[in-house]
Amino acid sequence: MSITVPTPPAPDGRAVAQSPDRGAVRRPALSPSRASDFKQCPLLYRFRAVDRIPEAPSKAQVRGTVVHAALESLFALPRADRVPERARELVEPAWERILESSPDLADLVGPAERGQFLTEARRLVSGYYKLEDPTRFDPESCELRVETELDDGVLLRGFVDRIDVSPTGLLRVVDYKTGRAPWEMGESKALFQMKFYALVLMRTRGIVPTQLQLLYLGDGQALTYQPEEDELRRFERTLSAIWRAILDSGATGDFRPNPGRLCDWCNHKTRCPAFGGTPPSYPGWPVPRRKVRSSRRQSSE
């Protein structure tokens, strides 16, 4: 199931994420998570992006959503009010908003677990203050939806946790992680996501972000990276190659499994042929349907 977080009000002058038109049929796009899925296992990509098989979120994932929502609300406050005590107070309202939009989550976090769940979320929010002082700056935007189309037609789409712009125009892209700083493979995956956002911003704003920053709230560590334009151009070619491979698989339905050590945590292991399962029938590559406007010929007198 997906988790929807209603966007809290923002003060005048701050950009907020815009919700896509629910009535529109969007063309397939590449996001950081779906690109990572295909690299990890093409069949996993199919289950998530083509079959769109629902996956029950874990408590850790839901807790991360609550923390992100609380931090978004924090930056909607005046600077002087962004103190740790106030940030912790924002956790429970964030959870209530999420629960209102996704009532099924009440089964995941029952009444007996609610107190501990919120305590852990508050601890992560408190951990943010080991890394930054939010009373000293105003972000340009929080939870911003970004999108661009590459020259070869690949559509890139994603959500950026936070964008900061300095008085001199320097751009910083910030992403919150509610876990601990990762080992090498996890770090590479996280940087893949940040380079994705940096490329989209370079193409939409015409400047290379000066800094990509991952804030790990679980252990109070930060990973900072400075991308270069040539590097992002090469990364663009990498994304185009991934998308071509996805389209080739989409045309034939040949999304092959790639067994590995992450399979034990996969929601789709029971339907994976690598483990004796049977995938559902391939529904075909999703093609956006054009809206048909009804029209009536008006008679003239």
Side-chain angles (χ1 to χ4, degrees), residues 4-224:
T4 304
V5 184
T7 302
D12 292 341
R14 278 215 317 114
V16 296
Q18 299 296 317
S19 299
D21 181 3
R22 292 181 181 273
V25 180
R26 297 187 299 175
R27 57 188 270 210
L30 194 63
S31 68
S33 54
R34 295 294 81 84
S36 294
D37 286 344
F38 190 82
K39 288 175 59 183
Q40 175 186 326
C41 174
L43 185 59
L44 175 62
Y45 173 90
R46 183 202 136 172
F47 287 151
R48 287 178 169 171
V50 182
D51 296 287
R52 302 182 70 84
I53 299 173
E55 297 181 16
S58 67
K59 286 183 184 178
Q61 289 172 327
V62 177
R63 184 168 56 245
T65 303
V66 171
V67 171
H68 277 73
L71 291 176
E72 182 183 5
S73 297
L74 180 70
F75 281 106
L77 299 175
R79 285 193 191 187
D81 294 340
R82 299 175 197 160
V83 295
E85 295 79 8
R86 186 71 181 97
R88 288 190 288 269
E89 291 173 357
L90 295 172
V91 168
E92 188 165 3
W95 167 239
E96 293 296 339
R97 292 198 308 274
I98 292 169
L99 199 57
E100 182 179 355
S101 61
S102 303
D104 291 346
L105 293 178
D107 297 331
L108 183 66
V109 182
E113 302 168 298
R114 176 188 173 100
Q116 182 62 29
F117 176 82
L118 295 177
T119 296
E120 292 173 354
R122 293 187 189 100
R123 179 183 60 80
L124 291 169
V125 169
S126 295
Y128 165 71
Y129 285 84
K130 298 177 183 178
L131 299 164
E132 289 185 325
D133 180 359
T135 67
R136 300 184 63 182
F137 67 95
D138 290 314
E140 183 211 62
S141 56
C142 294
E143 298 296 332
L144 184 69
R145 181 176 181 266
V146 294
E147 182 175 300
T148 192
E149 184 173 335
L150 302 184
D151 295 338
D152 58 0
V154 182
L155 184 62
L156 306 182
R157 183 184 295 136
F159 282 87
V160 181
D161 285 349
R162 201 182 81 214
I163 296 175
D164 302 332
V165 179
S166 73
T168 58
L170 299 180
L171 203 66
R172 177 171 64 177
V173 182
V174 179
D175 192 73
Y176 309 119
K177 300 296 184 185
T178 51
R180 296 178 176 273
W183 40 289
E184 185 175 351
M185 180 179 176
E187 180 178 303
S188 175
K189 186 175 181 179
L191 283 177
F192 180 93
Q193 174 189 9
M194 298 302 282
K195 289 179 184 179
F196 185 103
Y197 296 144
L199 174 62
V200 174
L201 292 171
M202 182 181 76
R203 291 185 62 89
T204 56
R205 302 195 182 199
I207 60 173
V208 177
T210 304
Q211 191 177 86
L212 310 178
Q213 191 170 57
L214 290 154
L215 302 182
Y216 291 94
L217 310 185
D219 56 4
Q221 294 193 48
L223 174 63
T224 301

